[in-house]
Amino acid sequence: MSDLVVSQTSGRVTVITINRPHRRNAVDLPTAEALIAAFERFDADTDADVAVFTGAGGAFCAGADLHALSAGESKPVEPVGKFAPMGPTRLRLSKPVIAAIEGPAVAGGMELALWCDLRIAGRSATMGILNRRFGVPLVDLGTIRLPRIVGHGRAMELILTGRSVAIDEALAIGLVNEEVDDGQALARATDLALSLTGFPQAAMRNDRLSAIEAWDLDEPAAIAKEIAYGRATIASGETLSGSTRFAEGAGRHGQFT
């Protein structure tokens, strides 16, 4: 595997790291391709349940590599297919991904963070559509995901102004899920990922996909999809197993293990 992206699995958690600290982990074409490959391998790995996505050297991702673009690099920008200019943002994985953000997660790097299911950020992390200043468009589903996460009004303000968003505001508007001390985002995201591996996986994965796919559907179709995923979970045996554990005394009085 290319050292542009490093993937390490411990237990049932896979940590995927953009490894271009000299560019603040900005993504060029080879890095985008390596990220797609890394996340596809994670999704196919039956020994891994949750991924943590981070960047090396104190930066999550500064966006597209504008040095590469100015030197003539051309990335495909097409409406179909799995490739996206920042890499994995069109992949719909079957398992959760948690972003561990230190430093900048801006421009296309913010789009990568929005692709993740959850975002844990260090206190000095910065987010924002900073590409607004340079005429670089959002083509990694940022215009779709940002309004869904923070609401249309806030999303339009961030998209139009391109201003930076500090961690306190990001937390308040739901752009990140949790703030931690600087340098602790990866450790906290890994701990959270480990806790998710302890749940029955079929129910968690199916509920996650139902929530994601509902955005594409009208209400009757979304209901039908939720029921279909629910039936799949029941058919897996997890529901009966969990009900039996509860009847035998597990999880009483708010215990959550």
Side-chain angles (χ1 to χ4, degrees):
M1 187 171 89
S2 169
D3 62 4
L4 297 171
V5 174
V6 176
S7 181
Q8 297 176 308
T9 299
S10 177
R12 302 194 67 83
V13 175
T14 297
V15 178
I16 295 174
T17 306
I18 307 175
N19 189 34
R20 302 189 77 217
H22 63 292
R23 292 284 192 223
R24 307 199 84 185
N25 299 317
V27 173
D28 60 0
L29 179 58
T31 306
E33 292 171 337
L35 282 170
I36 292 172
F39 278 105
E40 287 185 325
R41 280 192 294 271
F42 155 70
D43 208 40
D45 185 356
T46 58
D47 292 326
D49 292 331
V50 183
V52 173
F53 186 17
T54 194
F60 180 73
C61 175
D65 187 341
L66 300 187
H67 291 278
L69 290 177
S70 67
E73 179 183 85
S74 178
K75 293 179 181 177
V77 183
E78 301 294 339
V80 296
K82 69 181 180 181
F83 179 85
M86 293 299 297
T89 55
R90 291 190 189 174
L91 298 181
R92 181 167 287 178
L93 304 184
S94 65
K95 304 180 242 185
V97 179
I98 302 172
I101 301 169
E102 302 281 359
V106 297
M110 181 163 161
E111 291 183 285
L112 287 175
L114 295 173
W115 171 71
C116 299
D117 298 284
L118 300 171
R119 286 159 293 282
I120 309 297
R123 191 155 287 120
S124 298
T126 302
M127 304 181 80
I129 311 298
L130 304 191
N131 47 306
R132 181 58 56 239
R133 299 171 295 173
F134 304 109
V136 179
L138 295 172
V139 287
D140 280 79
L141 281 67
T143 64
I144 299 168
R145 291 193 175 111
L146 185 59
R148 293 177 179 179
I149 291 171
V150 304
H152 185 81
R154 286 193 176 101
M156 289 301 291
E157 192 255 336
L158 295 179
I159 290 169
L160 292 175
T161 67
R163 66 176 178 83
S164 296
V165 180
I167 188 63
D168 55 346
E169 181 184 3
L171 185 64
I173 66 176
L175 188 53
V176 301
N177 299 94
E178 187 176 336
E179 173 189 352
V180 295
D181 290 337
D182 288 339
Q184 296 302 307
L186 179 57
R188 172 57 185 144
T190 303
D191 285 345
L192 179 57
L194 183 60
S195 74
L196 297 187
T197 69
F199 295 138
Q201 292 297 298
M204 185 181 72
R205 294 179 191 180
N206 286 337
D207 286 351
R208 169 186 172 273
L209 284 173
S210 180
I212 292 170
E213 293 175 8
W215 287 102
D216 303 326
L217 306 171
D218 59 25
E219 186 175 21
I223 292 170
K225 179 72 73 171
E226 181 183 77
I227 295 301
Y229 276 125
R231 286 176 170 168
T233 297
I234 293 167
S236 75
E238 279 189 0
T239 304
L240 178 58
S241 174
S243 299
T244 301
R245 285 188 288 110
F246 176 82
E248 292 173 347
R252 300 292 178 86
H253 309 297
Q255 293 179 351
F256 197 73
T257 57

